[in-house]
Amino acid sequence: MQDIIKACRSYRRFDESDRIDRKLLTAWVDAARLVASSGNAQPLRYAIVSDERACERVFSCCAWAKALPDWPGPVPGERPSAYVVVCRDNDRTLADTFTAWDEGIAAQTIMLQAVEAGFGGCIIASFKKRSMAEALGVDADRFQPDLVLALGKPVEDVRIVDLPAGGATEYWRDEAGVHYVPKRALSSVLL
């Protein structure tokens, strides 16, 4: 499991021609629906997007890398080949339900399955919610898109490195496009 967790990085460039079968995406959502839910409210709904044209519409709603402000996102050919959009069913959300926790658990469950199947992805929370609902063809007042899981066959090298001396946690890319993600040492997170 540790190897899968280490390989489960935020990938932002993919082999767009390597499509993910809708049945596989559906199986990942099927597993995510079984995970813990605050108060067992089960307020999450999932939009699976695998059609090329629908993927283009979803892509146009997303922002890609806050720490890389000069990078507009993946170019054609390196864009995700599928998405799972996690939506909150506002008719099922209880005032005391911690939906964001449910979303995180479900998203990580899907991402780990993607890595296990040879794919990867990026969990995106920065996107135009109303535009996303329109792209999905769902009622934005009832089904509020909260997370976008961009999925595909990664074509970038993402490496975990130790936190630099100054303690900066921002990720970066070198001249060769290698993506570095600094992580705190185990000794610094244990209390």
Side-chain angles (χ1 to χ4, degrees), residues 45 88-92 139-144:
R45 301 297 179 264
R88 175 186 328 180
D89 182 346
N90 287 321
D91 284 356
R92 297 285 310 145
D139 176 0
D141 294 323
R142 172 146 185 218
F143 301 107
Q144 176 182 319

Side-chain angles (χ1 to χ4, degrees), residues 133-151:
E134 290 172 8
L136 299 173
V138 300
D139 176 0
D141 294 323
R142 172 146 185 218
F143 301 107
Q144 176 182 319
D146 281 340
L147 288 178
V148 176
L149 311 183
L151 301 159

Side-chain angles (χ1 to χ4, degrees), residues 94-105:
L94 307 174
D96 61 349
T97 300
F98 298 96
T99 306
W101 296 356
D102 290 11
E103 292 166 353
I105 294 167

Side-chain angles (χ1 to χ4, degrees), residues 110-126:
I110 292 169
M111 299 304 279
L112 289 168
Q113 291 177 99
V115 170
E116 186 177 48
F119 296 99
C122 186
I123 300 172
I124 301 171
S126 182

